[in-house]
Amino acid sequence: SSLPKAPKLLWEYKVKEGAFEATPAVVAGVVYIGDLDGSLFALKLENGHKIWEYKIDSGFIASPAYHQERIFVGDYDGRFFCVDAKTGKKLWERRDFKCNHHRGPAASPIAFEKSIIVHFDGFDVQYVVALDQATGKTLWRKDRAFDFKTNNGDNKKAYCTPAVIRHGNRLELISPAAVATESRNPRTGELLWTVRTGGMNSSSRPLYRDGLVYVFSGMGSMSAIRPGGKGDVDKTHVAWSRRRLVPKKSSPLYLNGLLYMTSDEGVVSCNNPKSGEILWAERLGGKGQYAASPIHANGRIYFSSSEGDFPVLATGKEFKVLARNKLDAGCMASPAVVGDALVIRTKTHVYKFEK
């Protein structure tokens, strides 16, 4: 899409103020989103009218996942739900996952073949589990296989959504945690390799492009890793790492051979993904944190701050601001691009804007 400087507001839907981290899932003309008060609801993309609502006695923070007419989502207390995407009827539920999320969960589930994969990186326990999408039964469960070298549970917390990649003929589940990143066989959970990427509270999703996996520690450092290894690959498969101008929360963009990312403080950088060299770095301006991940549409990069600033940049090796937009409330959730429209979740509303 190519949105103009002042996009048209088509509709707005008020949500409970408080939890605004979850990016909407938009599939087949329906917007799926969770709320802090325990509401998971579906809205018509066309007009914002509510189709159904599913209520629990906790809250939803992480973004839901959609696969084959099912919605998968975890709640604040560690329970996990599967809901019919058309009706909102609960299909199955798991209440037996023990995990003290302490400051709350944030990792979203991902669908892979017939499984749904979930991170439980808590204060007390840290593990990864794969569930059968149809029944919710456990297909495999694996504890984190490295030594955290600390007894402080807060330093063992992580919030990262994993990613499944194909490197050569091998599938790998790239699974960042506090202290280290693991790669596992997504079908069996078998550990393939480990890199001690450092940090804690990792939340940026790993990105795989042109033979490198980009992983972020959550504490202002990042690593570019060559997948395909076996065992401890700290000394053999780390192409480069750096600590300057690295996001703690948002995920990067890889476009036309360039890596774009923004620090929490709003310093955006364009980088050489092969070496980590910073080609340019500039302040986005505005107020608040830039915790939401930037998105790309038709040669433009859209950023959003926690105080409602929405700068738009051109792609390329020069810093160029195309537009600056403002909403009354800010974002920590990344916008969703749907055709010529943006679906934006702020602290107070879900909006649909279109050119």
PDB file of all heavy atoms in Angstrom, residues 265-266 283-290 305-311 324-326:
ATOM      1  N   GLU A 265      14.905   4.353  22.201  1.00  0.00           N
ATOM      2  CA  GLU A 265      14.937   5.811  22.346  1.00  0.00           C
ATOM      3  C   GLU A 265      14.575   6.537  21.059  1.00  0.00           C
ATOM      4  O   GLU A 265      14.538   7.775  21.040  1.00  0.00           O
ATOM      5  CB  GLU A 265      16.320   6.251  22.826  1.00  0.00           C
ATOM      6  CG  GLU A 265      16.706   5.741  24.208  1.00  0.00           C
ATOM      7  CD  GLU A 265      17.114   4.266  24.207  1.00  0.00           C
ATOM      8  OE1 GLU A 265      17.508   3.747  23.127  1.00  0.00           O
ATOM      9  OE2 GLU A 265      17.026   3.620  25.270  1.00  0.00           O
ATOM     10  N   GLY A 266      14.338   5.795  19.970  1.00  0.00           N
ATOM     11  CA  GLY A 266      13.908   6.418  18.729  1.00  0.00           C
ATOM     12  C   GLY A 266      15.021   6.810  17.790  1.00  0.00           C
ATOM     13  O   GLY A 266      14.836   7.692  16.943  1.00  0.00           O
ATOM     14  N   ARG A 283      17.691  10.467  14.601  1.00  0.00           N
ATOM     15  CA  ARG A 283      16.575  10.444  15.545  1.00  0.00           C
ATOM     16  C   ARG A 283      15.245  10.618  14.813  1.00  0.00           C
ATOM     17  O   ARG A 283      15.121  11.467  13.928  1.00  0.00           O
ATOM     18  CB  ARG A 283      16.730  11.533  16.605  1.00  0.00           C
ATOM     19  CG  ARG A 283      17.880  11.272  17.557  1.00  0.00           C
ATOM     20  CD  ARG A 283      17.807  12.142  18.796  1.00  0.00           C
ATOM     21  NE  ARG A 283      18.835  11.759  19.742  1.00  0.00           N
ATOM     22  CZ  ARG A 283      18.713  10.772  20.632  1.00  0.00           C
ATOM     23  NH1 ARG A 283      17.568  10.084  20.686  1.00  0.00           N
ATOM     24  NH2 ARG A 283      19.699  10.489  21.453  1.00  0.00           N
ATOM     25  N   LEU A 284      14.267   9.814  15.218  1.00  0.00           N
ATOM     26  CA  LEU A 284      12.945   9.913  14.617  1.00  0.00           C
ATOM     27  C   LEU A 284      12.167  11.112  15.143  1.00  0.00           C
ATOM     28  O   LEU A 284      11.256  11.601  14.480  1.00  0.00           O
ATOM     29  CB  LEU A 284      12.142   8.635  14.898  1.00  0.00           C
ATOM     30  CG  LEU A 284      12.576   7.384  14.133  1.00  0.00           C
ATOM     31  CD1 LEU A 284      11.892   6.151  14.707  1.00  0.00           C
ATOM     32  CD2 LEU A 284      12.264   7.524  12.650  1.00  0.00           C
ATOM     33  N   GLY A 285      12.489  11.578  16.327  1.00  0.00           N
ATOM     34  CA  GLY A 285      11.732  12.657  16.939  1.00  0.00           C
ATOM     35  C   GLY A 285      10.473  12.138  17.610  1.00  0.00           C
ATOM     36  O   GLY A 285      10.188  10.933  17.623  1.00  0.00           O
ATOM     37  N   GLY A 286       9.700  13.050  18.163  1.00  0.00           N
ATOM     38  CA  GLY A 286       8.504  12.644  18.894  1.00  0.00           C
ATOM     39  C   GLY A 286       8.822  12.280  20.330  1.00  0.00           C
ATOM     40  O   GLY A 286       9.943  12.457  20.808  1.00  0.00           O
ATOM     41  N   LYS A 287       7.827  11.740  21.004  1.00  0.00           N
ATOM     42  CA  LYS A 287       7.949  11.409  22.419  1.00  0.00           C
ATOM     43  C   LYS A 287       7.699   9.924  22.642  1.00  0.00           C
ATOM     44  O   LYS A 287       7.060   9.256  21.836  1.00  0.00           O
ATOM     45  CB  LYS A 287       6.957  12.231  23.238  1.00  0.00           C
ATOM     46  CG  LYS A 287       7.184  13.739  23.172  1.00  0.00           C
ATOM     47  CD  LYS A 287       6.151  14.470  24.019  1.00  0.00           C
ATOM     48  CE  LYS A 287       6.373  15.981  23.962  1.00  0.00           C
ATOM     49  NZ  LYS A 287       5.352  16.705  24.781  1.00  0.00           N
ATOM     50  N   GLY A 288       8.196   9.431  23.776  1.00  0.00           N
ATOM     51  CA  GLY A 288       7.936   8.053  24.170  1.00  0.00           C
ATOM     52  C   GLY A 288       8.902   7.061  23.561  1.00  0.00           C
ATOM     53  O   GLY A 288       9.816   7.410  22.805  1.00  0.00           O
ATOM     54  N   GLN A 289       8.691   5.796  23.895  1.00  0.00           N
ATOM     55  CA  GLN A 289       9.516   4.704  23.382  1.00  0.00           C
ATOM     56  C   GLN A 289       9.053   4.273  21.989  1.00  0.00           C
ATOM     57  O   GLN A 289       7.860   4.304  21.691  1.00  0.00           O
ATOM     58  CB  GLN A 289       9.416   3.478  24.302  1.00  0.00           C
ATOM     59  CG  GLN A 289      10.130   3.595  25.614  1.00  0.00           C
ATOM     60  CD  GLN A 289      10.157   2.258  26.328  1.00  0.00           C
ATOM     61  OE1 GLN A 289      10.215   1.197  25.720  1.00  0.00           O
ATOM     62  NE2 GLN A 289      10.093   2.310  27.654  1.00  0.00           N
ATOM     63  N   TYR A 290      10.014   3.836  21.192  1.00  0.00           N
ATOM     64  CA  TYR A 290       9.700   3.188  19.923  1.00  0.00           C
ATOM     65  C   TYR A 290       9.853   1.674  20.125  1.00  0.00           C
ATOM     66  O   TYR A 290      10.821   1.068  19.701  1.00  0.00           O
ATOM     67  CB  TYR A 290      10.602   3.723  18.813  1.00  0.00           C
ATOM     68  CG  TYR A 290      10.151   5.067  18.306  1.00  0.00           C
ATOM     69  CD1 TYR A 290      10.563   6.242  18.921  1.00  0.00           C
ATOM     70  CD2 TYR A 290       9.269   5.159  17.228  1.00  0.00           C
ATOM     71  CE1 TYR A 290      10.137   7.479  18.472  1.00  0.00           C
ATOM     72  CE2 TYR A 290       8.834   6.398  16.772  1.00  0.00           C
ATOM     73  CZ  TYR A 290       9.267   7.554  17.395  1.00  0.00           C
ATOM     74  OH  TYR A 290       8.832   8.777  16.942  1.00  0.00           O
ATOM     75  N   SER A 305       5.321   5.342  18.096  1.00  0.00           N
ATOM     76  CA  SER A 305       5.841   5.500  19.454  1.00  0.00           C
ATOM     77  C   SER A 305       4.748   5.265  20.485  1.00  0.00           C
ATOM     78  O   SER A 305       3.554   5.291  20.171  1.00  0.00           O
ATOM     79  CB  SER A 305       6.440   6.899  19.639  1.00  0.00           C
ATOM     80  OG  SER A 305       5.432   7.846  19.955  1.00  0.00           O
ATOM     81  N   SER A 306       5.185   5.094  21.727  1.00  0.00           N
ATOM     82  CA  SER A 306       4.235   4.848  22.823  1.00  0.00           C
ATOM     83  C   SER A 306       3.446   6.089  23.199  1.00  0.00           C
ATOM     84  O   SER A 306       2.512   6.016  23.997  1.00  0.00           O
ATOM     85  CB  SER A 306       4.988   4.321  24.055  1.00  0.00           C
ATOM     86  OG  SER A 306       5.959   5.263  24.481  1.00  0.00           O
ATOM     87  N   GLU A 307       3.789   7.254  22.609  1.00  0.00           N
ATOM     88  CA  GLU A 307       3.055   8.489  22.882  1.00  0.00           C
ATOM     89  C   GLU A 307       2.282   8.990  21.672  1.00  0.00           C
ATOM     90  O   GLU A 307       1.794  10.120  21.661  1.00  0.00           O
ATOM     91  CB  GLU A 307       4.014   9.566  23.381  1.00  0.00           C
ATOM     92  CG  GLU A 307       4.662   9.241  24.720  1.00  0.00           C
ATOM     93  CD  GLU A 307       3.639   9.077  25.838  1.00  0.00           C
ATOM     94  OE1 GLU A 307       2.653   9.853  25.856  1.00  0.00           O
ATOM     95  OE2 GLU A 307       3.820   8.188  26.682  1.00  0.00           O
ATOM     96  N   GLY A 308       2.191   8.170  20.614  1.00  0.00           N
ATOM     97  CA  GLY A 308       1.312   8.498  19.504  1.00  0.00           C
ATOM     98  C   GLY A 308       1.955   9.148  18.309  1.00  0.00           C
ATOM     99  O   GLY A 308       1.248   9.646  17.417  1.00  0.00           O
ATOM    100  N   ASP A 309       3.296   9.165  18.228  1.00  0.00           N
ATOM    101  CA  ASP A 309       3.970   9.707  17.049  1.00  0.00           C
ATOM    102  C   ASP A 309       4.151   8.613  16.005  1.00  0.00           C
ATOM    103  O   ASP A 309       4.563   7.497  16.329  1.00  0.00           O
ATOM    104  CB  ASP A 309       5.330  10.280  17.445  1.00  0.00           C
ATOM    105  CG  ASP A 309       5.190  11.514  18.312  1.00  0.00           C
ATOM    106  OD1 ASP A 309       4.782  12.559  17.779  1.00  0.00           O
ATOM    107  OD2 ASP A 309       5.462  11.432  19.522  1.00  0.00           O
ATOM    108  N   PHE A 310       3.886   8.952  14.720  1.00  0.00           N
ATOM    109  CA  PHE A 310       3.947   7.988  13.622  1.00  0.00           C
ATOM    110  C   PHE A 310       4.741   8.563  12.447  1.00  0.00           C
ATOM    111  O   PHE A 310       4.166   8.975  11.437  1.00  0.00           O
ATOM    112  CB  PHE A 310       2.543   7.595  13.176  1.00  0.00           C
ATOM    113  CG  PHE A 310       1.774   6.802  14.185  1.00  0.00           C
ATOM    114  CD1 PHE A 310       1.105   7.442  15.213  1.00  0.00           C
ATOM    115  CD2 PHE A 310       1.748   5.421  14.127  1.00  0.00           C
ATOM    116  CE1 PHE A 310       0.406   6.724  16.167  1.00  0.00           C
ATOM    117  CE2 PHE A 310       1.050   4.684  15.084  1.00  0.00           C
ATOM    118  CZ  PHE A 310       0.383   5.335  16.100  1.00  0.00           C
ATOM    119  N   PRO A 311       6.071   8.607  12.555  1.00  0.00           N
ATOM    120  CA  PRO A 311       6.871   9.073  11.411  1.00  0.00           C
ATOM    121  C   PRO A 311       6.944   8.018  10.311  1.00  0.00           C
ATOM    122  O   PRO A 311       6.876   6.815  10.575  1.00  0.00           O
ATOM    123  CB  PRO A 311       8.249   9.326  12.028  1.00  0.00           C
ATOM    124  CG  PRO A 311       8.302   8.465  13.234  1.00  0.00           C
ATOM    125  CD  PRO A 311       6.890   8.334  13.738  1.00  0.00           C
ATOM    126  N   ARG A 324       4.855  12.870   8.966  1.00  0.00           N
ATOM    127  CA  ARG A 324       4.746  12.716  10.419  1.00  0.00           C
ATOM    128  C   ARG A 324       3.274  12.772  10.777  1.00  0.00           C
ATOM    129  O   ARG A 324       2.594  13.756  10.467  1.00  0.00           O
ATOM    130  CB  ARG A 324       5.516  13.809  11.161  1.00  0.00           C
ATOM    131  CG  ARG A 324       7.028  13.719  10.974  1.00  0.00           C
ATOM    132  CD  ARG A 324       7.766  14.683  11.893  1.00  0.00           C
ATOM    133  NE  ARG A 324       9.198  14.626  11.698  1.00  0.00           N
ATOM    134  CZ  ARG A 324      10.011  13.730  12.251  1.00  0.00           C
ATOM    135  NH1 ARG A 324       9.493  12.815  13.074  1.00  0.00           N
ATOM    136  NH2 ARG A 324      11.301  13.752  12.021  1.00  0.00           N
ATOM    137  N   ASN A 325       2.782  11.722  11.414  1.00  0.00           N
ATOM    138  CA  ASN A 325       1.380  11.649  11.797  1.00  0.00           C
ATOM    139  C   ASN A 325       1.272  11.522  13.312  1.00  0.00           C
ATOM    140  O   ASN A 325       2.240  11.179  13.994  1.00  0.00           O
ATOM    141  CB  ASN A 325       0.705  10.456  11.122  1.00  0.00           C
ATOM    142  CG  ASN A 325       0.767  10.554   9.605  1.00  0.00           C
ATOM    143  OD1 ASN A 325       0.197  11.449   9.012  1.00  0.00           O
ATOM    144  ND2 ASN A 325       1.492   9.630   8.978  1.00  0.00           N
ATOM    145  N   LYS A 326       0.099  11.798  13.854  1.00  0.00           N
ATOM    146  CA  LYS A 326      -0.081  11.811  15.305  1.00  0.00           C
ATOM    147  C   LYS A 326      -1.451  11.262  15.677  1.00  0.00           C
ATOM    148  O   LYS A 326      -2.460  11.588  15.041  1.00  0.00           O
ATOM    149  CB  LYS A 326       0.046  13.257  15.822  1.00  0.00           C
ATOM    150  CG  LYS A 326      -0.051  13.412  17.321  1.00  0.00           C
ATOM    151  CD  LYS A 326       1.228  13.000  18.025  1.00  0.00           C
ATOM    152  CE  LYS A 326       1.142  13.278  19.517  1.00  0.00           C
ATOM    153  NZ  LYS A 326       2.377  12.871  20.232  1.00  0.00           N
TER     154      LYS A 326
END
